[in-house]
Amino acid sequence: MEPLLPLLGTTLMLVAHPDDEVIAFAGLMQHMKKAVVVFATDGAPRDPYFWRQYGSRENYEKVRRQEAREAASIAGAQDVFLPDYVAGGIADQELFRRLPEAASAFERVIAAMAPDSLLTLAYEGGHPDHDACTFLCDQVSRRHAIPVWESPLYHRNADGSGAIQTFPFTTGMEIHSRVEGDALRKKIEMFHVYRSQKLTLDGFRPEIEQFRPMAKYDFSRPPLPWKLNYEIWQWSMTGKEVAAEFASYLEKQS
């Protein structure tokens, strides 16, 4: 744990959706003095494809929030939902369109929690909300002089094949952490709490976690030069559109 000492005090973990934190950080967060998981969206997309079996988007959102709180309690972590601080909330897949509101809300949480470090998801083109979390942490950490670390979830390689729990490129600062013993038992218990996400979580390995200080990114460009994961899924946004929102935010801040 010594290489990860900067993350073992009061750490705010900014993730996009309930279950992201379990995949990426659930082992490490059990060793933090104070672990705070900040969910940037409500976890419920507007497309009925994702929530039809729950009857409504609102019902699906409630299910995901309850699962998040149950999982956080297992690790002794505190949960915070940024949509509660934003008028109209922040729907799943729309974080990149709500950057000013989300940044302001996140800064309110930071002021209240006074964290030692931030921990978030890598800029890897797996999901636009994940990439927006990377961007928000980069910007907020600069304004508040807080160190920020990142962890990978999933992306696509140049040949279109899927990759999980590994960075698309290395900086030499990566720390590989193996979750074992009681920490692994609790992490698996947290996986099982996310019953609504079982099909997703079945594709990840709970014993693996990887961290590094955030790499230097050019957020005015998509994270990878080839077709991104959510473009392959044929979602409504492209990597260029997401990066354009980041560039617009940066221009307004200059």
Side-chain angles (χ1 to χ4, degrees):
M1 283 294 162
E2 186 175 348
L4 295 171
L5 192 61
L7 293 173
L8 300 184
T10 298
T11 300
L12 292 194
M13 293 162 277
L14 182 68
V15 296
H17 321 104
D19 81 347
D20 294 340
E21 83 290 359
V22 171
I23 300 166
F25 321 133
L28 182 65
M29 75 168 70
Q30 296 177 54
H31 300 281
M32 296 174 183
K33 180 180 178 181
K34 184 174 183 179
V36 183
V37 184
V38 183
F39 298 100
T41 79
D42 61 18
R46 298 193 189 278
D47 187 340
Y49 169 83
F50 294 94
W51 51 256
R52 185 173 288 112
Q53 72 181 94
Y54 296 90
S56 70
R57 198 180 86 83
E58 291 72 23
N59 286 344
Y60 184 48
E61 177 187 348
K62 289 177 183 177
V63 167
R64 298 205 69 180
R65 184 178 291 233
Q66 180 55 42
E67 290 174 344
R69 287 182 167 161
E70 188 177 343
S73 70
I74 293 170
Q78 181 176 346
D79 60 90
V80 177
F81 280 79
L82 280 193
D84 292 346
Y85 296 79
V86 174
I90 305 174
D92 191 319
Q93 300 183 15
E94 296 179 12
L95 182 58
F96 74 100
R97 302 188 190 279
R98 306 298 303 277
L99 295 173
E101 300 92 334
S104 177
F106 190 38
E107 288 180 301
R108 288 172 60 188
V109 176
I110 286 173
M113 300 293 179
D116 302 305
S117 299
L118 304 178
L119 177 58
T120 193
L121 308 172
Y123 191 48
E124 58 186 351
H127 191 298
D129 289 341
H130 298 175
D131 292 346
C133 283
T134 322
F135 178 77
L136 286 168
C137 273
D138 176 80
Q139 293 301 297
V140 170
S141 69
R142 292 173 187 270
R143 291 199 284 269
H144 294 267
I146 304 173
V148 57
W149 291 58
E150 62 181 345
S151 185
L153 281 184
Y154 55 84
H155 64 274
R156 295 282 178 159
N157 296 314
D159 62 3
S161 61
I164 61 166
Q165 295 168 282
T166 184
F167 291 105
F169 66 89
T170 59
T171 65
M173 300 292 287
E174 290 75 21
I175 298 172
H176 300 260
S177 179
R178 189 168 185 85
V179 186
E180 299 176 317
D182 191 53
L184 179 58
R185 180 190 64 76
K186 285 187 177 181
K187 181 170 181 176
I188 291 173
E189 185 180 355
M190 293 166 76
F191 264 58
H192 290 163
V193 160
Y194 280 111
R195 292 170 286 277
S196 71
Q197 307 304 308
K198 185 180 185 302
L199 290 177
T200 298
L201 291 173
D202 281 350
F204 293 93
R205 296 176 60 186
E207 75 277 12
I208 293 176
E209 294 182 355
Q210 189 175 173
F211 309 94
R212 72 182 179 197
M214 184 182 283
K216 294 182 179 180
Y217 294 114
D218 179 0
F219 289 103
S220 67
R221 299 174 180 272
L224 299 172
W226 49 80
K227 202 167 189 177
L228 303 181
N229 183 71
Y230 55 88
E231 294 174 336
I232 289 176
W233 285 345
Q234 297 184 321
W235 283 6
S236 62
M237 73 293 292
T238 67
K240 288 184 178 179
E241 289 171 341
V242 174
E245 292 291 340
F246 297 156
S248 175
Y249 181 94
L250 291 171
E251 183 177 354
K252 291 174 183 176
Q253 297 299 307
S254 62

